[in-house]
Structures are given as structure tokens and as C-alpha cells.
Amino acid sequence: ILLEHFVKPRPTFTKRPLRAYLLHAAVFCAIFLLVLLLSKRPLFSALATLCFNAIVIGINSAKQRALREPMVFSDFVLFSQALKHPRLYLPFLGLGPAVAIPIVAGLTIFVGVTLEPALFNYGELGAVSVISTTAVALIITAVIIYFSRTSTPTLEPAKDVIHFGLIPSLVIYFIHSRLPPEQNNSIVFKFQPGSTASTQPTKNRAVQPNIIVVQSESFFDARKLHPSVKSSLLSSFDACVASAQLSGALTVPAWGANTMRTEFSFLTGVANASLGLKRFDPYQAYAGKPLHSIASHLGALGYRCVCIHPHPATFFKRDQLFPQLGFHEFIDIAAFDESQKSGPYIGDQAVAEKILEVLKNASEPLFIFAITMENHGPLHLEQVSQEDHPKLYASPPPEAFHDLSVFLRHLKNADTMIHTLTTALKKNDPSAIFSLFGDHVPSMPTVYDVLGYESAKTDYFIWSAQAAPAKRQNREELSVEQLAEKILAAGGL
């Protein structure tokens, strides 16, 4: 409990409910007894339990720093992803903790197992049964404590950590997530008998424009961060905004990561805040369940729905979920090669070329949803040269802006992607609807600290060469769950 002095945000100690302390004690005593049952060594079990607590606190601090959110129960599911894709996760811990955690864990195991004698052996059924029964009893006690006076979380992790403490809040979220699922009636793309989508799809291509949506990794107009950022950095984006049918700021439910929250809300039209505890990892929560989306809506109208994402389709279980959402094809990292990288990931220009290739080979109206990777962090692992600065800044940036420089370099490539797509669409498919939006702002904690920047909003536009007159200013701030409907409306669908 004293270790919670190091938790961020720091929990309150004097105003914490008694049941939260009891829950904390029950959970850690149960962990201690379970480790004791496996190791037969009480001092080692105590050290291992404390190490587990310290590691959770360390990961929580790193997440709070990078993503402005404490740990939630669904983060434990992502540990398997961290092992498969360590570059996407482990660097956020920082070099010190990343090195210290395995060393401390290894020393604890070595010292405990080699220096401490076993307290009992498995032939002593009395000791084993007492320990096992006590551990189970404590787990049951923890559940009873929870239900004895309902500890309903606010679903604002920072508030719940302050009120209950880190470990109790994780347990409360976990128990709460096992309760019967919340009923959600706010599904947008759900068809009733007799609705337009359930009738015979029209084959008139004039009213079935191709729809291309790019969810651009960490895209937002970073020129608002600092006057030194070059105004011409996003010239193609500016041209689209100037002639867009609709554009503006976009409210998204993520900061620095957790793309799946924004992505799920865009595709389903369901506000992240209305998903209860499923909001933290909707892909995990809804895998295997039938879903309605913009893809299923357009599929019912005769569209072929294709997702393009230069990363393994198994990430976030997209390979399972996207067919449920109505996608007919998922083009993942296997369709790209190493030569198409820009930095550590496949470049945005390669994604643009793949979009145009799919459009060229189409024999039916298409809905293409592209999820880019180029600007994915951690940004601090990449290098930026002095030669890059004149392309990104009108005046020399502050020294603390390394992460921003890396981000701007990739953002400039995103702008080139916009130019490639709009140029091709003007020439070959002027009736197509093209929309681009950012899934979240990038994780750049040092830059935000220096600038005092707090906004989580990204940017979007909905554009068509045929439909949008030049210099049309049609601005509207949206939440991401509203965007798909606006895109459909732009296409007369």
C-alpha cells in the first residue's frame, strides 16, 4: 500500500473507502499465497509479490506519462502484443525501467530459490490444502467486498485510481467487466426491414461513388503547436480543406495511442463513451460478436469493402473483427515490402499507391478504408538531421523538440500522400469521396510539457473533386462517431 505513493495520479490515502483497502489486502494476500504454493518459500513469495506491484506501478507511470491515462484492466491483454511487437510498447517504459525490470525479477528469483529453504513439500497435503483454501477464500472475499457495497467505477481511470488506488481500481474494472454486457441501442448502421439498405442495391455507378477513407496515424495540424513550424508543411491538406465539402477539428477518444478506440467509433458510429467498460478495448470486447458498420451498410448497397493496413492483420484482432464489420478483403503487411518503408514502418506513399492500385483493378463500387503506420511512435527512437530542419521549420526549433521534428518529417509525407491521392482522383475518378482523419495526437510528452499543450483533437476533411467548388469554407467540428454518416451523406448514400 505504501508503494502507491509512487502511483500517478497519486491515490488519496485519507479519503479512500475502507472496502478499497480490504480489496487491496485481499488481492495481494491471494497473490502471495499463490506464489507460495508454487515456490514453497515465504520470503521469496513476499518479494515476488512486491516486485509484481512495483512493475505494475512502473508500467502505470510510463503509460500515464506517454498516454495521459493510468493502467486499466484491458491493458493486461495487450501484454501479448507487446511481446510480438516490442517496438510499439517497450520503449515507452524508458531505458532504465526496461533494463531494471528483468534484472530485478531475475535476481529475486535467483536469491529466493537458492538461499531460502522450502517451507514444506507437496507431500504435506495439510499445508498445501491450507494455503490453497486460504488463497481461494481471499479471492472470494475480494469479490464479496466488491459486491457488498457496489463500487461502480466512474469509467474515468484517473478519478478511479485516485479514489480506490491502482490495484483496487484494476480489480474493480475487471470484476465490473465480467458483469452482463451493457445494452447499447445507439448503433447507427443497423437496418430494419424496408430500409434503403435492405432493398435491391442499385447498379448505377453515378450514385455509387467510390469512397476512400484514410485513418492517418497521429495526424493533426501540428502547425498550431509552435510558430516555428513551417506554414507550407501541409500545403496539400490546406488545399483539400479549402475545397472540402466538410472539414474541421475532430474529437477522438484517445491520446497518443489506443487507435482501436477511435477506429471502432468511426466504423460503427457508436460513441466510445457509450460502450461502458468496453470503451478501453472495444476490439477485444466485441471479437466474435455480430456488428454493424459503415462497411456492412455499403456492402448492402453493392459495394466491395477493402481494408488496407501495412501491419499484421492479427494486431488488435482485426483479422477476426473486420469480417464481422462487413469487410470483404484485408490487405495487410504481406502486400508490402521492405523497400516501401519510410522510417521503421511502411510509408504513407506506399499506402497511397496501394489504394490507387485497388481502385484501378475494381469492377464494382469500392469502399476503401486505409489505416496508415508511418507516423507511429515511439518517435524518440528515430533520428533527425540538421538538414531536415529547413524543410520543417521556418526558424530553428527549441532543443526539446526532437520528437516533434521526427513527427513533422512523417507528417510532411502524409501531406504528400494526400497530394498523390487527390491528383489521381481528379484525373481518373472525380466523383469519388475522399476523407482523411487522425486517430489521435502523437505521444510527445516532452514537447507538450514545454508548450503546455492539452488538446486531444485531431483534424479531418471530406473532399470530392466533382462536388467541392474551389475555396469553399465549410467547417464543422465533429466527434469521430459522427464522421461516417457525414461521409455517406457527401456521397448521397
Side-chain angles (χ1 to χ4, degrees), residues 297-310:
H297 179 90
L298 290 169
L301 290 172
Y303 277 74
R304 179 168 178 78
C305 301
V306 179
C307 179
I308 299 173
H309 181 42

Side-chain angles (χ1 to χ4, degrees), residues 157 263 332:
E263 189 172 297
D332 76 346

Side-chain angles (χ1 to χ4, degrees), residues 40-152:
K40 300 178 283 188
R41 291 165 172 81
L43 291 177
F44 165 73
S45 300
L47 283 173
T49 304
L50 288 172
C51 281
F52 168 76
N53 191 15
I55 289 170
V56 170
I57 290 171
I59 294 172
N60 174 78
S61 297
K63 185 186 176 190
Q64 178 70 33
R65 170 77 174 148
L67 308 184
R68 299 194 175 188
E69 179 183 273
M71 279 188 72
V72 292
F73 74 100
S74 58
D75 290 331
F76 287 99
V77 178
L78 294 177
F79 285 166
S80 62
Q81 298 281 20
L83 295 175
K84 294 177 184 176
H85 308 280
R87 194 186 191 282
L88 294 178
Y89 293 94
L90 298 185
F92 287 112
L93 280 174
L95 181 61
V99 172
I101 287 173
I103 290 175
V104 171
L107 285 175
T108 300
I109 293 171
F110 175 77
V111 172
V113 172
T114 57
L115 299 184
E116 184 181 8
L119 184 66
F120 61 91
N121 61 59
Y122 289 126
E124 300 174 37
L125 295 180
V128 173
S129 60
V130 167
I131 294 171
S132 303
T133 302
T134 307
V136 171
L138 282 165
I139 293 171
I140 293 171
T141 301
V143 176
I144 291 172
I145 291 169
Y146 174 81
F147 282 110
S148 63
R149 184 177 176 185
T150 303
S151 302
T152 304

Side-chain angles (χ1 to χ4, degrees), residues 224 247-251 457-460 475-479:
K224 67 185 77 171
S247 66
L250 189 69
T251 299
K457 293 178 181 178
T458 63
D459 293 277
Y460 80 94
R475 304 281 291 175
E476 183 178 349
E477 185 171 319
L478 298 178
S479 291

